[in-house]
Amino acid sequence: MYPDAHCELDFTTPLELLVATILSAQCTDRRVNKVTPVLFARYRSAADYASANQEELENIIRSTGFYRTKARNIIALGQRLCDEHGGEVPDRLEDLVKLPGVGRKTANVVLGNAFGVPGLTVDTHFGRLVRRFGMTRQTDPVKVEQEIAALFPPEEWTMLSHRLIWHGRRVCHARRPACGACELQHLCPSYGEGPVDEETARRLVRTGPFS
DNA sequence: ATCCCGAGGG
DNA sequence: CCCTCTGGAT
């Protein structure tokens, strides 16, 4: 079944989780966890990141991909945390998403796992899964969040997000969902139908047949 | 070769 | 809406 943890990243402080989550964009948590021990030993505070040498930081995080963008963002992030938040990671969504390199996905991961603030993390997997499962027909992530939030108690939101994302990554793929390997096949209205959600279908028309 | 547990920008 | 940024896993 699914891992019980809400988060597979290794961290001990909100700042560590925030940085690790930024690194995890388009990259597996396993790879992130390989660089964070070195990273966190070298940079221990927002001020450390603010004064980091761009090239040195790039070299440490290179293997996580998009390293130039990420290094720039993390340095700017350190500066902003020092300038506007007393060197601390803010615990409100509105503040988090204003930070460089931090979008809804990253902000919600930090809120849920570092601060215990309930929130749904609607990424591409989450949206696709709840659509296939017939729980909503919305494509706009904000509307998806609203509709799904109404179906579950807040204390389950962080765990729910993690599980759906995890399942989408490993089983319920966009193109060729592994319906045969899915524990939920007998409950799923889209079982065996292939890429049924509109977004994916539209992409397939553009990029060619999926089989 | 192809895809990725995102974000920023045109 | 579309594109770009990157290395690594498969």
Side-chain angles (χ1 to χ4, degrees):
Chain A
M1 247 325 245
Y2 303 104
D4 267 355
H6 296 187
C7 181
E8 296 169 59
L9 297 167
D10 297 333
F11 69 98
T12 55
T13 66
L15 179 62
E16 287 187 357
L17 178 59
L18 178 53
V19 171
T21 308
I22 288 171
L23 292 182
S24 76
Q26 291 298 108
C27 162
T28 62
D29 288 357
R30 200 197 270 344
R31 260 187 291 151
V32 174
N33 288 338
K34 209 162 173 179
V35 305
T36 47
V38 179
L39 186 68
F40 296 160
R42 176 72 182 80
Y43 307 98
R44 299 179 174 282
S45 67
D48 290 342
Y49 289 114
S51 61
N53 173 269
Q54 169 98 18
E55 279 186 48
E56 183 187 358
L57 182 53
E58 283 181 9
N59 286 331
I60 297 174
I61 67 174
R62 168 156 289 125
S63 65
T64 66
F66 296 159
Y67 61 88
R68 207 160 297 152
T69 311
K70 288 173 179 174
R72 250 196 320 257
N73 283 150
I74 290 169
I75 292 170
L77 172 74
Q79 292 166 347
R80 288 273 300 277
L81 290 180
C82 290
D83 292 347
E84 300 174 19
H85 300 282
E88 300 295 314
V89 177
D91 60 358
R92 294 188 317 181
L93 182 65
E94 34 184 318
D95 294 328
L96 280 165
V97 293
K98 286 181 198 156
L99 267 17
V102 180
R104 276 189 93 71
K105 162 78 197 301
T106 301
N108 275 324
V109 168
V110 171
L111 284 176
N113 297 287
F115 295 118
V117 178
L120 288 173
T121 305
V122 182
D123 70 344
T124 54
H125 293 306
F126 189 105
R128 187 177 69 249
L129 255 77
V130 292
R131 255 173 268 133
R132 281 183 172 157
F133 217 73
M135 300 175 80
T136 180
R137 299 180 67 174
Q138 302 293 344
T139 53
D140 173 20
V142 177
K143 291 182 182 168
V144 171
E145 185 180 340
Q146 288 168 355
E147 290 200 4
I148 303 304
L151 302 177
F152 299 90
E155 61 269 23
E156 293 179 8
W157 290 349
T158 300
M159 172 71 85
L160 178 70
S161 300
H162 183 255
R163 288 186 169 181
L164 286 187
I165 291 167
W166 193 94
H167 188 69
R169 175 91 216 266
R170 307 224 169 28
V171 183
C172 196
H173 313 291
R175 300 201 180 52
R176 303 255 303 174
C179 293
C182 180
E183 299 95 327
L184 305 171
Q185 54 178 253
H186 59 290
L187 297 171
C188 181
S190 305
Y191 173 66
E193 287 179 14
V196 291
D197 79 88
E198 323 84 67
E199 258 179 328
T200 305
R202 207 157 26 75
R203 269 190 54 204
L204 289 168
V205 172
R206 234 187 296 132
T207 60
F210 55 93
S211 53

